Amino acid sequence: QVQLVESGGGLVQAGGSLRLSCAASGRTFSIGDMGWFRQAPGKEREFVAAISWSGGATGYADSVKGRFTISRDNAKNTMYLQMNTLKPEDTAVYYCAAAARVYHLIATTRGSYDYWGEGTQVTVSS
């Protein structure tokens, strides 16, 4: 099994920045692609960003493209999400996800991921 723990969430003013981290433990050798999803109150959980096992390929939702950057450090078993120019509509619980495989294309659907963290709250005030 793989355990994922997110950190770095908090309250920030619009235009500000936050950096989320996702630390993996357990059978980390089984982790392939990873991603971030978010869920706002009353809404479905949605794709935010994903990164291939090597870090050589990344993908983003249109709503965050150009503002968010996903990265990973496999030596530290940690994935990151740098969020800049935050907007109130970015307010949500952010979830880390890991797949037990490597995909040919960036995986953007929830069903593509096998392991999930508990989430970290991000609140952006206007």
Side-chain angles (χ1 to χ4, degrees):
Q1 280 289 355
V2 171
Q3 294 77 43
L4 302 174
V5 178
E6 303 94 338
S7 62
L11 174 63
V12 64
Q13 289 189 332
S17 298
L18 282 175
R19 188 194 195 202
L20 304 184
S21 297
C22 171
S25 60
R27 298 170 63 89
T28 57
F29 60 85
S30 67
I31 294 176
D33 295 355
M34 298 185 74
W36 290 96
F37 288 71
R38 67 186 182 187
Q39 187 167 16
K43 294 188 176 182
E44 294 287 318
R45 191 173 300 188
E46 64 175 4
F47 169 76
V48 175
I51 187 167
S52 63
W53 178 86
S54 68
T58 58
Y60 298 90
D62 288 342
S63 59
V64 307
K65 203 170 293 183
R67 299 188 297 121
F68 290 10
T69 302
I70 189 172
S71 61
R72 66 190 292 174
D73 184 338
N74 289 340
K76 295 182 179 179
N77 294 316
T78 303
M79 178 178 64
Y80 306 95
L81 185 68
Q82 178 67 44
M83 305 187 295
N84 298 329
T85 319
L86 283 161
K87 304 175 181 180
E89 51 263 43
D90 294 319
T91 294
V93 177
Y94 283 71
Y95 296 91
C96 166
R101 59 168 291 181
V102 174
Y103 290 99
H104 178 63
L105 299 174
I106 289 293
T108 63
T109 59
R110 292 171 56 182
S112 300
Y113 295 90
D114 302 285
Y115 308 107
W116 293 84
E118 294 295 317
T120 185
Q121 176 70 47
V122 171
T123 303
V124 184
S125 63
S126 57

